[in-house]
Amino acid sequence: MIQIQNVTDFSLKYTLESGQSFRWNRIENAYYGVVEGRILKISQEGTILCVESSTDEDEVSFVSYLRHYLDIGRDVPKILAEVNNDAYMHRAIEKLWGMRILNQELWETVASFILSQNNNVPRIRGIIRRLSERFGERLTLAGYVDYSFPSPDVLATETNEALLACGTGYRANYLQDAAQAVVRGELSLTAMKQMSYPEAKEALMRQNGIGEKVADCICLFSLGHLAALPIDVWIKRIFETLYLRQRATHREIREFAHSYFGAGVGYAQQYLFHYVHECPNWADVEHLSLIRHGVL
DNA sequence: TTCCAGGAGAGAG
DNA sequence: CTCTCTCATGGA
């Protein structure tokens, strides 16, 4: 087991439970998840993180990797100060203090958010779990069993029926198309990591099954582009009620959000998104309206 | 039974 | 450009 010391302004709970990763399970005080082919067990005691891995790790490079994965090196308090512009954001930041945006493995993120469309988090988690059980590699850590996320090569050669049996629904075709595009080199994940945000987003959106929202999720949750703003039904509802008008277009929301929150808009979005899930009454349109007009 | 979920694509206007 | 319809699945 290794420890990471002096981890300040960090919440393992909110970081791993905020719907940006579908792979973490909490058992008692620890989180178990599969990250790039190994099981990790992570727990937080104040400013110390305790981490165990199912594979042997070189401590120096492992700590370096974890700090990147968990976004620990970034000055998040500075970003939050810049987007803390109103009572609603203030409450979200206060409630979710320490939540960070992960830098997840690219292929798993691409596949996961293709599967996320018109779907809900518990079901997305179930689909990914079944895909991994059936097509990934079995991993163990101190009696805990889980499975690696299947590679593009594996998913590219599976039958459509096999993917459907995991509960993917109509998204099976999108998933298989993406896997085959990666194998053929048409969707180059290594090249994408070198691209700017607009370049990466455009490259992703050329892929069948990846629209603007999913592309933004991949840019934000894997590629570290904090200017990305995934607009799902919740975010749309919040921006319409709190800042704009009903039936606002995506372009309106995008332009407002960028000018209002600045470069850290991706972080602002994640705090808004998770806050309405932690405090459901704060997603109520009438409640939001009261906030907007300063009643609450 | 109908509605909804971290939507995208095709078609019409 | 915007609007609408459909797509598969399961829980509420």
Side-chain angles (χ1 to χ4, degrees):
Chain A
M1 185 190 73
I2 69 106
Q3 289 192 347
I4 306 179
Q5 311 276 348
N6 301 319
V7 180
T8 57
D9 306 304
F10 178 80
S11 166
L12 187 65
K13 170 184 170 64
Y14 291 133
T15 299
L16 299 184
E17 292 185 3
S18 53
Q20 48 179 323
S21 174
F22 305 101
R23 294 283 270 168
W24 290 95
N25 297 298
R26 186 169 61 83
I27 298 177
E28 296 176 351
N29 198 30
Y31 288 84
Y32 294 78
V34 179
V35 179
E36 298 206 32
R38 79 275 236 198
I39 295 176
L40 297 183
K41 174 186 178 183
I42 312 180
S43 58
Q44 179 176 17
E45 301 287 342
T47 60
I48 299 174
L49 293 180
C50 300
V51 187
E52 296 177 49
S53 172
S54 62
T55 61
D56 290 330
E57 309 277 355
D58 172 72
E59 180 162 338
V60 174
S61 60
F62 186 47
V63 169
S64 173
Y65 175 78
L66 288 169
R67 292 179 63 84
H68 176 253
Y69 175 78
L70 297 170
D71 212 27
I72 288 173
R74 199 189 297 274
D75 189 351
V76 171
K78 180 184 176 187
I79 293 172
L80 295 179
E82 289 168 357
V83 301
N84 192 355
N85 293 339
D86 55 70
Y88 194 91
M89 277 303 303
H90 184 77
R91 294 224 187 187
I93 290 168
E94 195 170 58
K95 167 73 178 177
L96 304 175
W97 186 255
M99 179 173 68
R100 295 187 180 234
I101 291 178
L102 296 167
N103 296 105
Q104 303 180 74
E105 195 279 322
L106 185 51
W107 164 243
E108 178 171 337
T109 308
V110 168
S112 296
F113 282 95
I114 284 175
L115 295 168
S116 77
Q117 66 174 256
N118 201 18
N119 215 336
N120 57 64
V121 171
R123 240 177 63 77
I124 298 163
R125 291 171 58 89
I127 293 168
I128 292 169
R129 180 172 45 76
R130 287 187 288 276
L131 284 170
S132 300
E133 283 172 0
R134 295 190 56 167
F135 309 124
E137 295 178 13
R138 188 175 188 272
L139 309 167
T140 63
L141 173 61
Y144 182 85
V145 179
D146 208 333
Y147 299 82
S148 65
F149 190 81
S151 67
D153 306 81
V154 171
L155 291 181
T157 55
E158 282 302 328
T159 65
N160 198 260
E161 289 72 23
L163 300 183
L164 280 173
C166 297
T168 54
Y170 69 91
R171 311 163 194 84
N173 293 325
Y174 294 154
L175 179 60
Q176 198 151 41
D177 278 355
Q180 291 171 354
V182 171
V183 171
R184 293 195 198 105
E186 298 163 6
L187 187 62
S188 173
L189 301 182
T190 52
M192 194 172 297
K193 295 176 185 175
Q194 309 302 322
M195 295 179 184
S196 67
Y197 166 51
E199 291 170 339
K201 183 172 176 177
E202 185 184 355
L204 286 163
M205 288 179 66
R206 278 199 294 270
Q207 176 62 38
N208 184 34
I210 300 182
E212 185 167 37
K213 191 272 178 181
V214 168
D216 271 329
C217 282
I218 297 164
C219 285
L220 185 58
F221 301 138
S222 177
L223 295 171
H225 297 307
L226 300 191
L229 174 64
I231 303 176
D232 74 319
V233 294
W234 294 97
I235 290 298
K236 187 169 190 291
R237 194 173 303 158
I238 291 171
F239 273 92
E240 285 177 344
T241 310
L242 204 55
Y243 304 117
L244 298 167
R245 61 175 177 91
Q246 296 307 300
R247 304 179 69 83
T249 65
H250 282 205
R251 199 170 67 86
E252 268 180 84
I253 295 174
R254 201 168 291 285
E255 287 180 356
F256 167 81
H258 194 266
S259 63
Y260 186 66
F261 290 120
V265 62
Y267 256 92
Q269 173 276 155
Q270 189 62 12
Y271 274 75
L272 290 172
F273 175 84
H274 193 46
Y275 189 55
V276 302
H277 289 74
E278 284 285 308
C279 308
N281 62 312
W282 284 75
D284 182 81
V285 170
E286 293 182 13
H287 192 95
L288 286 168
S289 187
L290 294 178
I291 301 288
R292 175 175 184 158
H293 295 101
V295 179
L296 294 177

